[in-house]
Amino acid sequence: MTYKQIRKDNEVNLLIEKGNAVLGELGYTEHSRKHAAKVAETAGRLLRELGYDRKLIELSKIAGYMHDIGNSINRTDHAHSGAILAYSILKERGMPLEDAICVASAIGNHDEATGTAVDTVSAALIIADKTDVRRNRVRNTVISSFDAHDRVNYAVLSANLSVNIEKKNIIMDMYLDDSMCTVMDYFEIFLQRMVMCRRAAEVLDCKFKLTANGSKLC
């Protein structure tokens, strides 16, 4: 079972799109196949740049693409329901059980409310997911009615995730429209996610660094 096959899998894509529709009705940001693919590619790139083997890179990309399928059932506990769905699908497609369990574990631990990085694949997934902050994920078109998360996402003019191999740093560098959201607003809203990224970076034997508008936050 490969990442390319998963991206073309009709059942997986239907679950992603249903989850995105459910979250749209609840007023959440975009969680479409675009988000899934971005998380997958970022997770894979992160491990590739850190020198991990091809198998772990592939598993991280599969976990990244499938990580939000549980939203098709309910936003609450979506990481856990998504993990169960993913395990069932991957096992049915013939993936080795050890690999299917690894992917399911990563998905089951990606949400900040209940999870944490438990291995290499989950660490890559968490960092890739939590750093996908961008203006075009906001679906609300009425700025005056933005909630805190809409405002923060909409304020992000650019966000870049990079790796400094020599210093063993994973760096998220952002620029915010400070008329929409201050650096402190961002940190207040996403503090739990950034703490989760720090723990994930440690699992990868790195440090997580965040800069916003040129200021180092952590």
Side-chain angles (χ1 to χ4, degrees), residues 10-24 30-36 65 68-69 71-72 139:
N10 187 52
E11 183 177 4
V12 172
N13 286 324
L14 285 172
L15 287 167
I16 292 171
E17 291 304 333
K18 180 60 177 179
N20 189 42
V22 168
L23 294 187
E30 168 261 334
H31 285 70
S32 67
R33 289 166 64 181
K34 181 178 180 179
H35 168 65
Y65 195 72
D68 271 335
I69 61 176
N71 285 312
S72 62
R139 292 192 271 199

mmCIF file with all atom_site columns, all heavy atoms in Angstrom, residues 10-24 30-36 65 68-69 71-72 139:
data_model
loop_
_atom_site.group_PDB
_atom_site.id
_atom_site.type_symbol
_atom_site.label_atom_id
_atom_site.label_alt_id
_atom_site.label_comp_id
_atom_site.label_asym_id
_atom_site.label_entity_id
_atom_site.label_seq_id
_atom_site.pdbx_PDB_ins_code
_atom_site.Cartn_x
_atom_site.Cartn_y
_atom_site.Cartn_z
_atom_site.occupancy
_atom_site.B_iso_or_equiv
_atom_site.pdbx_formal_charge
_atom_site.auth_seq_id
_atom_site.auth_comp_id
_atom_site.auth_asym_id
_atom_site.auth_atom_id
_atom_site.pdbx_PDB_model_num
ATOM 1   N N   . ASN A 1 10  ? -10.920 5.750  -3.449 1.00 0.00 ? 10  ASN A N   1
ATOM 2   C CA  . ASN A 1 10  ? -12.227 6.399  -3.431 1.00 0.00 ? 10  ASN A CA  1
ATOM 3   C C   . ASN A 1 10  ? -12.825 6.468  -2.024 1.00 0.00 ? 10  ASN A C   1
ATOM 4   O O   . ASN A 1 10  ? -13.382 7.498  -1.621 1.00 0.00 ? 10  ASN A O   1
ATOM 5   C CB  . ASN A 1 10  ? -13.188 5.648  -4.362 1.00 0.00 ? 10  ASN A CB  1
ATOM 6   C CG  . ASN A 1 10  ? -14.520 6.364  -4.515 1.00 0.00 ? 10  ASN A CG  1
ATOM 7   O OD1 . ASN A 1 10  ? -14.566 7.550  -4.825 1.00 0.00 ? 10  ASN A OD1 1
ATOM 8   N ND2 . ASN A 1 10  ? -15.614 5.657  -4.278 1.00 0.00 ? 10  ASN A ND2 1
ATOM 9   N N   . GLU A 1 11  ? -12.700 5.382  -1.268 1.00 0.00 ? 11  GLU A N   1
ATOM 10  C CA  . GLU A 1 11  ? -13.260 5.370  0.086  1.00 0.00 ? 11  GLU A CA  1
ATOM 11  C C   . GLU A 1 11  ? -12.585 6.410  0.978  1.00 0.00 ? 11  GLU A C   1
ATOM 12  O O   . GLU A 1 11  ? -13.256 7.156  1.706  1.00 0.00 ? 11  GLU A O   1
ATOM 13  C CB  . GLU A 1 11  ? -13.123 3.980  0.707  1.00 0.00 ? 11  GLU A CB  1
ATOM 14  C CG  . GLU A 1 11  ? -13.747 3.863  2.097  1.00 0.00 ? 11  GLU A CG  1
ATOM 15  C CD  . GLU A 1 11  ? -13.670 2.460  2.665  1.00 0.00 ? 11  GLU A CD  1
ATOM 16  O OE1 . GLU A 1 11  ? -13.061 1.573  2.026  1.00 0.00 ? 11  GLU A OE1 1
ATOM 17  O OE2 . GLU A 1 11  ? -14.219 2.248  3.761  1.00 0.00 ? 11  GLU A OE2 1
ATOM 18  N N   . VAL A 1 12  ? -11.277 6.477  0.914  1.00 0.00 ? 12  VAL A N   1
ATOM 19  C CA  . VAL A 1 12  ? -10.539 7.460  1.713  1.00 0.00 ? 12  VAL A CA  1
ATOM 20  C C   . VAL A 1 12  ? -10.948 8.877  1.334  1.00 0.00 ? 12  VAL A C   1
ATOM 21  O O   . VAL A 1 12  ? -11.214 9.722  2.200  1.00 0.00 ? 12  VAL A O   1
ATOM 22  C CB  . VAL A 1 12  ? -9.016  7.271  1.536  1.00 0.00 ? 12  VAL A CB  1
ATOM 23  C CG1 . VAL A 1 12  ? -8.245  8.413  2.211  1.00 0.00 ? 12  VAL A CG1 1
ATOM 24  C CG2 . VAL A 1 12  ? -8.576  5.934  2.111  1.00 0.00 ? 12  VAL A CG2 1
ATOM 25  N N   . ASN A 1 13  ? -11.016 9.150  0.039  1.00 0.00 ? 13  ASN A N   1
ATOM 26  C CA  . ASN A 1 13  ? -11.363 10.500 -0.407 1.00 0.00 ? 13  ASN A CA  1
ATOM 27  C C   . ASN A 1 13  ? -12.801 10.881 -0.057 1.00 0.00 ? 13  ASN A C   1
ATOM 28  O O   . ASN A 1 13  ? -13.080 12.035 0.279  1.00 0.00 ? 13  ASN A O   1
ATOM 29  C CB  . ASN A 1 13  ? -11.120 10.631 -1.914 1.00 0.00 ? 13  ASN A CB  1
ATOM 30  C CG  . ASN A 1 13  ? -9.633  10.719 -2.238 1.00 0.00 ? 13  ASN A CG  1
ATOM 31  O OD1 . ASN A 1 13  ? -8.859  11.312 -1.494 1.00 0.00 ? 13  ASN A OD1 1
ATOM 32  N ND2 . ASN A 1 13  ? -9.222  10.117 -3.348 1.00 0.00 ? 13  ASN A ND2 1
ATOM 33  N N   . LEU A 1 14  ? -13.706 9.912  -0.108 1.00 0.00 ? 14  LEU A N   1
ATOM 34  C CA  . LEU A 1 14  ? -15.087 10.195 0.303  1.00 0.00 ? 14  LEU A CA  1
ATOM 35  C C   . LEU A 1 14  ? -15.162 10.530 1.794  1.00 0.00 ? 14  LEU A C   1
ATOM 36  O O   . LEU A 1 14  ? -15.903 11.437 2.200  1.00 0.00 ? 14  LEU A O   1
ATOM 37  C CB  . LEU A 1 14  ? -15.989 8.997  -0.009 1.00 0.00 ? 14  LEU A CB  1
ATOM 38  C CG  . LEU A 1 14  ? -16.366 8.791  -1.475 1.00 0.00 ? 14  LEU A CG  1
ATOM 39  C CD1 . LEU A 1 14  ? -17.096 7.460  -1.650 1.00 0.00 ? 14  LEU A CD1 1
ATOM 40  C CD2 . LEU A 1 14  ? -17.229 9.941  -1.989 1.00 0.00 ? 14  LEU A CD2 1
ATOM 41  N N   . LEU A 1 15  ? -14.391 9.828  2.602  1.00 0.00 ? 15  LEU A N   1
ATOM 42  C CA  . LEU A 1 15  ? -14.365 10.107 4.042  1.00 0.00 ? 15  LEU A CA  1
ATOM 43  C C   . LEU A 1 15  ? -13.779 11.495 4.321  1.00 0.00 ? 15  LEU A C   1
ATOM 44  O O   . LEU A 1 15  ? -14.290 12.232 5.179  1.00 0.00 ? 15  LEU A O   1
ATOM 45  C CB  . LEU A 1 15  ? -13.547 9.039  4.768  1.00 0.00 ? 15  LEU A CB  1
ATOM 46  C CG  . LEU A 1 15  ? -14.196 7.659  4.894  1.00 0.00 ? 15  LEU A CG  1
ATOM 47  C CD1 . LEU A 1 15  ? -13.168 6.621  5.336  1.00 0.00 ? 15  LEU A CD1 1
ATOM 48  C CD2 . LEU A 1 15  ? -15.370 7.694  5.869  1.00 0.00 ? 15  LEU A CD2 1
ATOM 49  N N   . ILE A 1 16  ? -12.724 11.863 3.602  1.00 0.00 ? 16  ILE A N   1
ATOM 50  C CA  . ILE A 1 16  ? -12.125 13.190 3.783  1.00 0.00 ? 16  ILE A CA  1
ATOM 51  C C   . ILE A 1 16  ? -13.127 14.278 3.425  1.00 0.00 ? 16  ILE A C   1
ATOM 52  O O   . ILE A 1 16  ? -13.320 15.253 4.175  1.00 0.00 ? 16  ILE A O   1
ATOM 53  C CB  . ILE A 1 16  ? -10.851 13.344 2.928  1.00 0.00 ? 16  ILE A CB  1
ATOM 54  C CG1 . ILE A 1 16  ? -9.741  12.432 3.453  1.00 0.00 ? 16  ILE A CG1 1
ATOM 55  C CG2 . ILE A 1 16  ? -10.370 14.799 2.928  1.00 0.00 ? 16  ILE A CG2 1
ATOM 56  C CD1 . ILE A 1 16  ? -8.524  12.356 2.544  1.00 0.00 ? 16  ILE A CD1 1
ATOM 57  N N   . GLU A 1 17  ? -13.789 14.121 2.278  1.00 0.00 ? 17  GLU A N   1
ATOM 58  C CA  . GLU A 1 17  ? -14.720 15.158 1.835  1.00 0.00 ? 17  GLU A CA  1
ATOM 59  C C   . GLU A 1 17  ? -15.958 15.242 2.730  1.00 0.00 ? 17  GLU A C   1
ATOM 60  O O   . GLU A 1 17  ? -16.476 16.338 2.988  1.00 0.00 ? 17  GLU A O   1
ATOM 61  C CB  . GLU A 1 17  ? -15.129 14.915 0.374  1.00 0.00 ? 17  GLU A CB  1
ATOM 62  C CG  . GLU A 1 17  ? -13.991 15.145 -0.610 1.00 0.00 ? 17  GLU A CG  1
ATOM 63  C CD  . GLU A 1 17  ? -13.368 16.540 -0.502 1.00 0.00 ? 17  GLU A CD  1
ATOM 64  O OE1 . GLU A 1 17  ? -14.063 17.497 -0.081 1.00 0.00 ? 17  GLU A OE1 1
ATOM 65  O OE2 . GLU A 1 17  ? -12.181 16.679 -0.809 1.00 0.00 ? 17  GLU A OE2 1
ATOM 66  N N   . LYS A 1 18  ? -16.434 14.099 3.231  1.00 0.00 ? 18  LYS A N   1
ATOM 67  C CA  . LYS A 1 18  ? -17.551 14.136 4.170  1.00 0.00 ? 18  LYS A CA  1
ATOM 68  C C   . LYS A 1 18  ? -17.134 14.839 5.454  1.00 0.00 ? 18  LYS A C   1
ATOM 69  O O   . LYS A 1 18  ? -17.879 15.660 6.012  1.00 0.00 ? 18  LYS A O   1
ATOM 70  C CB  . LYS A 1 18  ? -18.027 12.710 4.483  1.00 0.00 ? 18  LYS A CB  1
ATOM 71  C CG  . LYS A 1 18  ? -19.195 12.655 5.473  1.00 0.00 ? 18  LYS A CG  1
ATOM 72  C CD  . LYS A 1 18  ? -20.423 13.397 4.963  1.00 0.00 ? 18  LYS A CD  1
ATOM 73  C CE  . LYS A 1 18  ? -21.586 13.266 5.932  1.00 0.00 ? 18  LYS A CE  1
ATOM 74  N NZ  . LYS A 1 18  ? -22.787 13.997 5.476  1.00 0.00 ? 18  LYS A NZ  1
ATOM 75  N N   . GLY A 1 19  ? -15.943 14.523 5.943  1.00 0.00 ? 19  GLY A N   1
ATOM 76  C CA  . GLY A 1 19  ? -15.442 15.195 7.141  1.00 0.00 ? 19  GLY A CA  1
ATOM 77  C C   . GLY A 1 19  ? -15.324 16.694 6.939  1.00 0.00 ? 19  GLY A C   1
ATOM 78  O O   . GLY A 1 19  ? -15.669 17.490 7.821  1.00 0.00 ? 19  GLY A O   1
ATOM 79  N N   . ASN A 1 20  ? -14.849 17.100 5.767  1.00 0.00 ? 20  ASN A N   1
ATOM 80  C CA  . ASN A 1 20  ? -14.728 18.521 5.463  1.00 0.00 ? 20  ASN A CA  1
ATOM 81  C C   . ASN A 1 20  ? -16.096 19.196 5.432  1.00 0.00 ? 20  ASN A C   1
ATOM 82  O O   . ASN A 1 20  ? -16.273 20.318 5.920  1.00 0.00 ? 20  ASN A O   1
ATOM 83  C CB  . ASN A 1 20  ? -14.026 18.702 4.116  1.00 0.00 ? 20  ASN A CB  1
ATOM 84  C CG  . ASN A 1 20  ? -13.667 20.146 3.832  1.00 0.00 ? 20  ASN A CG  1
ATOM 85  O OD1 . ASN A 1 20  ? -13.210 20.875 4.707  1.00 0.00 ? 20  ASN A OD1 1
ATOM 86  N ND2 . ASN A 1 20  ? -13.873 20.567 2.594  1.00 0.00 ? 20  ASN A ND2 1
ATOM 87  N N   . ALA A 1 21  ? -17.089 18.502 4.886  1.00 0.00 ? 21  ALA A N   1
ATOM 88  C CA  . ALA A 1 21  ? -18.445 19.045 4.839  1.00 0.00 ? 21  ALA A CA  1
ATOM 89  C C   . ALA A 1 21  ? -19.037 19.178 6.244  1.00 0.00 ? 21  ALA A C   1
ATOM 90  O O   . ALA A 1 21  ? -19.687 20.187 6.568  1.00 0.00 ? 21  ALA A O   1
ATOM 91  C CB  . ALA A 1 21  ? -19.334 18.143 3.982  1.00 0.00 ? 21  ALA A CB  1
ATOM 92  N N   . VAL A 1 22  ? -18.802 18.166 7.079  1.00 0.00 ? 22  VAL A N   1
ATOM 93  C CA  . VAL A 1 22  ? -19.286 18.219 8.469  1.00 0.00 ? 22  VAL A CA  1
ATOM 94  C C   . VAL A 1 22  ? -18.681 19.418 9.191  1.00 0.00 ? 22  VAL A C   1
ATOM 95  O O   . VAL A 1 22  ? -19.382 20.192 9.855  1.00 0.00 ? 22  VAL A O   1
ATOM 96  C CB  . VAL A 1 22  ? -18.929 16.909 9.215  1.00 0.00 ? 22  VAL A CB  1
ATOM 97  C CG1 . VAL A 1 22  ? -19.158 17.063 10.719 1.00 0.00 ? 22  VAL A CG1 1
ATOM 98  C CG2 . VAL A 1 22  ? -19.766 15.747 8.679  1.00 0.00 ? 22  VAL A CG2 1
ATOM 99  N N   . LEU A 1 23  ? -17.373 19.606 9.052  1.00 0.00 ? 23  LEU A N   1
ATOM 100 C CA  . LEU A 1 23  ? -16.710 20.715 9.730  1.00 0.00 ? 23  LEU A CA  1
ATOM 101 C C   . LEU A 1 23  ? -17.149 22.061 9.170  1.00 0.00 ? 23  LEU A C   1
ATOM 102 O O   . LEU A 1 23  ? -17.203 23.057 9.891  1.00 0.00 ? 23  LEU A O   1
ATOM 103 C CB  . LEU A 1 23  ? -15.192 20.562 9.629  1.00 0.00 ? 23  LEU A CB  1
ATOM 104 C CG  . LEU A 1 23  ? -14.592 19.357 10.359 1.00 0.00 ? 23  LEU A CG  1
ATOM 105 C CD1 . LEU A 1 23  ? -13.071 19.422 10.335 1.00 0.00 ? 23  LEU A CD1 1
ATOM 106 C CD2 . LEU A 1 23  ? -15.085 19.275 11.790 1.00 0.00 ? 23  LEU A CD2 1
ATOM 107 N N   . GLY A 1 24  ? -17.481 22.090 7.883  1.00 0.00 ? 24  GLY A N   1
ATOM 108 C CA  . GLY A 1 24  ? -18.009 23.318 7.297  1.00 0.00 ? 24  GLY A CA  1
ATOM 109 C C   . GLY A 1 24  ? -19.320 23.730 7.941  1.00 0.00 ? 24  GLY A C   1
ATOM 110 O O   . GLY A 1 24  ? -19.556 24.912 8.225  1.00 0.00 ? 24  GLY A O   1
ATOM 111 N N   . GLU A 1 30  ? -11.132 24.906 6.654  1.00 0.00 ? 30  GLU A N   1
ATOM 112 C CA  . GLU A 1 30  ? -11.071 23.872 5.611  1.00 0.00 ? 30  GLU A CA  1
ATOM 113 C C   . GLU A 1 30  ? -10.230 22.681 6.052  1.00 0.00 ? 30  GLU A C   1
ATOM 114 O O   . GLU A 1 30  ? -9.125  22.823 6.573  1.00 0.00 ? 30  GLU A O   1
ATOM 115 C CB  . GLU A 1 30  ? -10.478 24.507 4.347  1.00 0.00 ? 30  GLU A CB  1
ATOM 116 C CG  . GLU A 1 30  ? -10.090 23.530 3.264  1.00 0.00 ? 30  GLU A CG  1
ATOM 117 C CD  . GLU A 1 30  ? -8.590  23.216 3.283  1.00 0.00 ? 30  GLU A CD  1
ATOM 118 O OE1 . GLU A 1 30  ? -7.798  24.050 3.751  1.00 0.00 ? 30  GLU A OE1 1
ATOM 119 O OE2 . GLU A 1 30  ? -8.236  22.112 2.842  1.00 0.00 ? 30  GLU A OE2 1
ATOM 120 N N   . HIS A 1 31  ? -10.790 21.475 5.869  1.00 0.00 ? 31  HIS A N   1
ATOM 121 C CA  . HIS A 1 31  ? -10.094 20.215 6.145  1.00 0.00 ? 31  HIS A CA  1
ATOM 122 C C   . HIS A 1 31  ? -10.264 19.266 4.951  1.00 0.00 ? 31  HIS A C   1
ATOM 123 O O   . HIS A 1 31  ? -10.559 18.088 5.104  1.00 0.00 ? 31  HIS A O   1
ATOM 124 C CB  . HIS A 1 31  ? -10.641 19.553 7.410  1.00 0.00 ? 31  HIS A CB  1
ATOM 125 C CG  . HIS A 1 31  ? -10.194 20.193 8.686  1.00 0.00 ? 31  HIS A CG  1
ATOM 126 N ND1 . HIS A 1 31  ? -10.635 21.434 9.084  1.00 0.00 ? 31  HIS A ND1 1
ATOM 127 C CD2 . HIS A 1 31  ? -9.333  19.763 9.657  1.00 0.00 ? 31  HIS A CD2 1
ATOM 128 C CE1 . HIS A 1 31  ? -10.073 21.736 10.252 1.00 0.00 ? 31  HIS A CE1 1
ATOM 129 N NE2 . HIS A 1 31  ? -9.282  20.753 10.614 1.00 0.00 ? 31  HIS A NE2 1
ATOM 130 N N   . SER A 1 32  ? -10.071 19.800 3.766  1.00 0.00 ? 32  SER A N   1
ATOM 131 C CA  . SER A 1 32  ? -10.325 19.068 2.529  1.00 0.00 ? 32  SER A CA  1
ATOM 132 C C   . SER A 1 32  ? -9.133  18.197 2.133  1.00 0.00 ? 32  SER A C   1
ATOM 133 O O   . SER A 1 32  ? -8.153  18.051 2.868  1.00 0.00 ? 32  SER A O   1
ATOM 134 C CB  . SER A 1 32  ? -10.603 20.060 1.401  1.00 0.00 ? 32  SER A CB  1
ATOM 135 O OG  . SER A 1 32  ? -9.418  20.792 1.110  1.00 0.00 ? 32  SER A OG  1
ATOM 136 N N   . ARG A 1 33  ? -9.226  17.631 0.926  1.00 0.00 ? 33  ARG A N   1
ATOM 137 C CA  . ARG A 1 33  ? -8.125  16.837 0.383  1.00 0.00 ? 33  ARG A CA  1
ATOM 138 C C   . ARG A 1 33  ? -6.872  17.698 0.195  1.00 0.00 ? 33  ARG A C   1
ATOM 139 O O   . ARG A 1 33  ? -5.753  17.188 0.262  1.00 0.00 ? 33  ARG A O   1
ATOM 140 C CB  . ARG A 1 33  ? -8.549  16.209 -0.944 1.00 0.00 ? 33  ARG A CB  1
ATOM 141 C CG  . ARG A 1 33  ? -9.580  15.096 -0.768 1.00 0.00 ? 33  ARG A CG  1
ATOM 142 C CD  . ARG A 1 33  ? -10.255 14.706 -2.081 1.00 0.00 ? 33  ARG A CD  1
ATOM 143 N NE  . ARG A 1 33  ? -9.304  14.137 -3.029 1.00 0.00 ? 33  ARG A NE  1
ATOM 144 C CZ  . ARG A 1 33  ? -9.654  13.734 -4.254 1.00 0.00 ? 33  ARG A CZ  1
ATOM 145 N NH1 . ARG A 1 33  ? -10.911 13.837 -4.656 1.00 0.00 ? 33  ARG A NH1 1
ATOM 146 N NH2 . ARG A 1 33  ? -8.757  13.208 -5.057 1.00 0.00 ? 33  ARG A NH2 1
ATOM 147 N N   . LYS A 1 34  ? -7.064  19.000 0.001  1.00 0.00 ? 34  LYS A N   1
ATOM 148 C CA  . LYS A 1 34  ? -5.917  19.904 -0.124 1.00 0.00 ? 34  LYS A CA  1
ATOM 149 C C   . LYS A 1 34  ? -5.131  19.942 1.180  1.00 0.00 ? 34  LYS A C   1
ATOM 150 O O   . LYS A 1 34  ? -3.898  19.858 1.185  1.00 0.00 ? 34  LYS A O   1
ATOM 151 C CB  . LYS A 1 34  ? -6.386  21.306 -0.506 1.00 0.00 ? 34  LYS A CB  1
ATOM 152 C CG  . LYS A 1 34  ? -5.251  22.308 -0.690 1.00 0.00 ? 34  LYS A CG  1
ATOM 153 C CD  . LYS A 1 34  ? -5.790  23.668 -1.124 1.00 0.00 ? 34  LYS A CD  1
ATOM 154 C CE  . LYS A 1 34  ? -4.640  24.660 -1.307 1.00 0.00 ? 34  LYS A CE  1
ATOM 155 N NZ  . LYS A 1 34  ? -5.132  25.998 -1.756 1.00 0.00 ? 34  LYS A NZ  1
ATOM 156 N N   . HIS A 1 35  ? -5.837  20.077 2.304  1.00 0.00 ? 35  HIS A N   1
ATOM 157 C CA  . HIS A 1 35  ? -5.180  20.055 3.620  1.00 0.00 ? 35  HIS A CA  1
ATOM 158 C C   . HIS A 1 35  ? -4.522  18.696 3.853  1.00 0.00 ? 35  HIS A C   1
ATOM 159 O O   . HIS A 1 35  ? -3.381  18.615 4.317  1.00 0.00 ? 35  HIS A O   1
ATOM 160 C CB  . HIS A 1 35  ? -6.199  20.350 4.719  1.00 0.00 ? 35  HIS A CB  1
ATOM 161 C CG  . HIS A 1 35  ? -5.706  20.081 6.110  1.00 0.00 ? 35  HIS A CG  1
ATOM 162 N ND1 . HIS A 1 35  ? -4.675  20.801 6.692  1.00 0.00 ? 35  HIS A ND1 1
ATOM 163 C CD2 . HIS A 1 35  ? -6.101  19.162 7.043  1.00 0.00 ? 35  HIS A CD2 1
ATOM 164 C CE1 . HIS A 1 35  ? -4.461  20.350 7.923  1.00 0.00 ? 35  HIS A CE1 1
ATOM 165 N NE2 . HIS A 1 35  ? -5.302  19.353 8.154  1.00 0.00 ? 35  HIS A NE2 1
ATOM 166 N N   . ALA A 1 36  ? -5.236  17.623 3.516  1.00 0.00 ? 36  ALA A N   1
ATOM 167 C CA  . ALA A 1 36  ? -4.701  16.270 3.709  1.00 0.00 ? 36  ALA A CA  1
ATOM 168 C C   . ALA A 1 36  ? -3.399  16.088 2.932  1.00 0.00 ? 36  ALA A C   1
ATOM 169 O O   . ALA A 1 36  ? -2.411  15.557 3.467  1.00 0.00 ? 36  ALA A O   1
ATOM 170 C CB  . ALA A 1 36  ? -5.733  15.232 3.271  1.00 0.00 ? 36  ALA A CB  1
ATOM 171 N N   . TYR A 1 65  ? -2.202  11.954 5.028  1.00 0.00 ? 65  TYR A N   1
ATOM 172 C CA  . TYR A 1 65  ? -3.352  12.073 4.135  1.00 0.00 ? 65  TYR A CA  1
ATOM 173 C C   . TYR A 1 65  ? -4.639  11.604 4.802  1.00 0.00 ? 65  TYR A C   1
ATOM 174 O O   . TYR A 1 65  ? -5.717  12.164 4.566  1.00 0.00 ? 65  TYR A O   1
ATOM 175 C CB  . TYR A 1 65  ? -3.113  11.275 2.847  1.00 0.00 ? 65  TYR A CB  1
ATOM 176 C CG  . TYR A 1 65  ? -4.091  11.641 1.754  1.00 0.00 ? 65  TYR A CG  1
ATOM 177 C CD1 . TYR A 1 65  ? -3.986  12.872 1.109  1.00 0.00 ? 65  TYR A CD1 1
ATOM 178 C CD2 . TYR A 1 65  ? -5.118  10.784 1.378  1.00 0.00 ? 65  TYR A CD2 1
ATOM 179 C CE1 . TYR A 1 65  ? -4.891  13.235 0.118  1.00 0.00 ? 65  TYR A CE1 1
ATOM 180 C CE2 . TYR A 1 65  ? -6.025  11.136 0.394  1.00 0.00 ? 65  TYR A CE2 1
ATOM 181 C CZ  . TYR A 1 65  ? -5.906  12.362 -0.239 1.00 0.00 ? 65  TYR A CZ  1
ATOM 182 O OH  . TYR A 1 65  ? -6.819  12.726 -1.215 1.00 0.00 ? 65  TYR A OH  1
ATOM 183 N N   . ASP A 1 68  ? -7.505  13.023 9.106  1.00 0.00 ? 68  ASP A N   1
ATOM 184 C CA  . ASP A 1 68  ? -8.770  13.674 9.497  1.00 0.00 ? 68  ASP A CA  1
ATOM 185 C C   . ASP A 1 68  ? -10.021 12.916 9.055  1.00 0.00 ? 68  ASP A C   1
ATOM 186 O O   . ASP A 1 68  ? -11.128 13.467 9.118  1.00 0.00 ? 68  ASP A O   1
ATOM 187 C CB  . ASP A 1 68  ? -8.813  15.101 8.941  1.00 0.00 ? 68  ASP A CB  1
ATOM 188 C CG  . ASP A 1 68  ? -8.191  16.113 9.891  1.00 0.00 ? 68  ASP A CG  1
ATOM 189 O OD1 . ASP A 1 68  ? -8.158  15.849 11.112 1.00 0.00 ? 68  ASP A OD1 1
ATOM 190 O OD2 . ASP A 1 68  ? -7.749  17.181 9.420  1.00 0.00 ? 68  ASP A OD2 1
ATOM 191 N N   . ILE A 1 69  ? -9.897  11.659 8.628  1.00 0.00 ? 69  ILE A N   1
ATOM 192 C CA  . ILE A 1 69  ? -11.078 10.941 8.133  1.00 0.00 ? 69  ILE A CA  1
ATOM 193 C C   . ILE A 1 69  ? -12.119 10.725 9.230  1.00 0.00 ? 69  ILE A C   1
ATOM 194 O O   . ILE A 1 69  ? -13.300 10.554 8.943  1.00 0.00 ? 69  ILE A O   1
ATOM 195 C CB  . ILE A 1 69  ? -10.717 9.607  7.449  1.00 0.00 ? 69  ILE A CB  1
ATOM 196 C CG1 . ILE A 1 69  ? -10.008 8.646  8.409  1.00 0.00 ? 69  ILE A CG1 1
ATOM 197 C CG2 . ILE A 1 69  ? -9.875  9.851  6.200  1.00 0.00 ? 69  ILE A CG2 1
ATOM 198 C CD1 . ILE A 1 69  ? -9.722  7.276  7.795  1.00 0.00 ? 69  ILE A CD1 1
ATOM 199 N N   . ASN A 1 71  ? -13.381 12.861 11.105 1.00 0.00 ? 71  ASN A N   1
ATOM 200 C CA  . ASN A 1 71  ? -14.352 13.960 11.120 1.00 0.00 ? 71  ASN A CA  1
ATOM 201 C C   . ASN A 1 71  ? -15.630 13.608 10.374 1.00 0.00 ? 71  ASN A C   1
ATOM 202 O O   . ASN A 1 71  ? -16.665 14.248 10.566 1.00 0.00 ? 71  ASN A O   1
ATOM 203 C CB  . ASN A 1 71  ? -13.733 15.216 10.494 1.00 0.00 ? 71  ASN A CB  1
ATOM 204 C CG  . ASN A 1 71  ? -12.746 15.897 11.427 1.00 0.00 ? 71  ASN A CG  1
ATOM 205 O OD1 . ASN A 1 71  ? -13.017 16.120 12.597 1.00 0.00 ? 71  ASN A OD1 1
ATOM 206 N ND2 . ASN A 1 71  ? -11.579 16.235 10.891 1.00 0.00 ? 71  ASN A ND2 1
ATOM 207 N N   . SER A 1 72  ? -15.551 12.591 9.511  1.00 0.00 ? 72  SER A N   1
ATOM 208 C CA  . SER A 1 72  ? -16.759 12.155 8.788  1.00 0.00 ? 72  SER A CA  1
ATOM 209 C C   . SER A 1 72  ? -17.785 11.559 9.742  1.00 0.00 ? 72  SER A C   1
ATOM 210 O O   . SER A 1 72  ? -18.975 11.508 9.424  1.00 0.00 ? 72  SER A O   1
ATOM 211 C CB  . SER A 1 72  ? -16.377 11.116 7.726  1.00 0.00 ? 72  SER A CB  1
ATOM 212 O OG  . SER A 1 72  ? -15.813 9.953  8.333  1.00 0.00 ? 72  SER A OG  1
ATOM 213 N N   . ARG A 1 139 ? -13.159 29.597 5.894  1.00 0.00 ? 139 ARG A N   1
ATOM 214 C CA  . ARG A 1 139 ? -14.329 29.508 5.007  1.00 0.00 ? 139 ARG A CA  1
ATOM 215 C C   . ARG A 1 139 ? -15.353 30.599 5.266  1.00 0.00 ? 139 ARG A C   1
ATOM 216 O O   . ARG A 1 139 ? -16.194 30.885 4.421  1.00 0.00 ? 139 ARG A O   1
ATOM 217 C CB  . ARG A 1 139 ? -14.975 28.124 5.155  1.00 0.00 ? 139 ARG A CB  1
ATOM 218 C CG  . ARG A 1 139 ? -14.099 27.020 4.612  1.00 0.00 ? 139 ARG A CG  1
ATOM 219 C CD  . ARG A 1 139 ? -14.830 25.714 4.483  1.00 0.00 ? 139 ARG A CD  1
ATOM 220 N NE  . ARG A 1 139 ? -14.752 24.905 5.684  1.00 0.00 ? 139 ARG A NE  1
ATOM 221 C CZ  . ARG A 1 139 ? -14.993 23.594 5.699  1.00 0.00 ? 139 ARG A CZ  1
ATOM 222 N NH1 . ARG A 1 139 ? -15.325 22.974 4.587  1.00 0.00 ? 139 ARG A NH1 1
ATOM 223 N NH2 . ARG A 1 139 ? -14.909 22.891 6.808  1.00 0.00 ? 139 ARG A NH2 1
#
